């Protein structure tokens, strides 16, 4: 399995975003995770398509856009145009999940579906062959810097075993409270796309942190 480290720019210094992008890429980031929040699906408000376009303008690695917004299908084209390479919508926000995933693929992008911690895996059961990635939230979405919810380890294991049984090579992304010291736990459970915000941007030496994460991933996989 291929493993990817995706620093979440939510914890970057927004006043120096281009520099932060370059720094984290130089440090070994595989993807740039961008958190879009609307103040409705989640309590926080962050950024929209123009800032995604600015990030894309200085990015060398793929841009992974996590939409934490209501009615995400209304904005798929705008984020695709802004340069998102992966677009993830929440199952809780998109009643026609299959249609949303199909549209993302039609736009030539990778399609992800996300689940809040309390949402059962059954919410994605019938779209697993329509998506490239399932994002399991390991905190309640809305803010960086929260603690990993330990019950999510079992959820990751269960999804990975369901995917294996179905013979599907879908990525499992985990997001929330992941740091160098607990990345082994989620990788052992079956996650392969690791989002980390404060766990990377909250440290002094991004390169050292990412190298440590990668070493822990290698040992656990
Ligand atoms: C939370 C976001 C995350 C967040 C993770 O709603 O989806 O991507 O930035 O931050 P950490 O890694 O600090 O928990
Ligand atoms: Zn996120």
């Amino acid at each position: 399995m291929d493993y990817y480290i995706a620093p979440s720019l939510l914890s970057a210094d927004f006043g120096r975003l281009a520099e932060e992008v370059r720094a984290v890429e130089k440090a070994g980031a595989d993807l740039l995770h961008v958190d879009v929040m609307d103040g409705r699906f989640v309590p926080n408000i962050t950024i929209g398509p123009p800032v995604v376009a600015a990030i894309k303008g200085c990015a060398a690695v793929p841009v992974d856009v996590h939409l934490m917004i209501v009615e995400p299908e209304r904005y798929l084209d705008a984020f695709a145009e802004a340069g998102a390479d992966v677009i993830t919508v929440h199952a809780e926000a998109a009643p026609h999940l299959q249609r949303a995933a199909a549209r993302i693929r039609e736009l030539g992008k990778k399609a992800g579906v996300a689940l809040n911690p309390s949402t059962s895996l059954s919410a994605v059961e019938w779209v697993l062959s329509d998506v490239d990635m399932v994002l399991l939230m390991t905190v309640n979405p809305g803010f960086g810097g929260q603690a990993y919810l330990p019950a999510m380890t079992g959820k990751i294991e269960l999804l990975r075993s369901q995917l294996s049984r179905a013979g599907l090579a879908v990525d499992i992304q985990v997001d929330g409270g992941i740091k160098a010291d607990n990345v082994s736990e989620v990788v052992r459970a079956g996650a392969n796309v690791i989002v980390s915000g404060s766990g990377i941007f909250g440290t002094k030496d991004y390169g050292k942190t990412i190298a440590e994460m990668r070493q822990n991933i290698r040992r656990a996989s």
Side-chain angles (χ1 to χ4, degrees), residues 55-177:
I55 293 167
K56 182 66 181 179
C58 60
V61 300
V63 176
D64 168 39
V65 173
H66 176 193
L67 297 181
M68 284 161 277
I69 62 176
V70 298
E71 300 179 15
E73 31 319 280
R74 292 176 55 198
Y75 295 96
L76 299 177
D77 292 48
F79 281 102
E81 214 164 290
D85 298 286
V86 184
I87 301 178
T88 297
V89 299
H90 268 264
E92 302 87 352
H96 309 293
L97 203 49
Q98 196 281 335
R99 181 186 289 153
R103 179 65 189 150
I104 295 169
R105 283 183 160 181
E106 214 173 82
L107 289 163
K109 312 298 179 178
K110 285 196 169 174
V113 289
L115 297 179
N116 285 337
S118 64
T119 304
S120 170
L121 291 176
S122 61
V124 293
E125 186 178 353
W126 300 105
V127 293
L128 288 177
S129 51
D130 298 297
V131 301
D132 302 288
M133 181 172 86
V134 177
L135 192 183
L136 295 181
M137 287 305 304
T138 46
V139 298
N140 290 292
F143 303 95
Q146 304 179 79
Y148 178 79
L149 294 169
M152 295 302 103
T153 304
K155 193 177 184 185
I156 301 164
E157 279 169 1
L158 188 58
L159 176 59
R160 182 54 76 197
S161 70
Q162 287 173 0
L163 289 169
S164 306
R165 237 178 298 128
L168 293 169
V170 172
D171 289 323
I172 299 182
Q173 183 174 56
V174 283
D175 184 7

Side-chain angles (χ1 to χ4, degrees), residues 166-191:
L168 293 169
V170 172
D171 289 323
I172 299 182
Q173 183 174 56
V174 283
D175 184 7
I178 317 278
K179 303 196 184 314
D181 62 7
N182 64 355
V183 70
S184 321
E185 177 170 341
V186 293
V187 165
R188 240 179 269 124

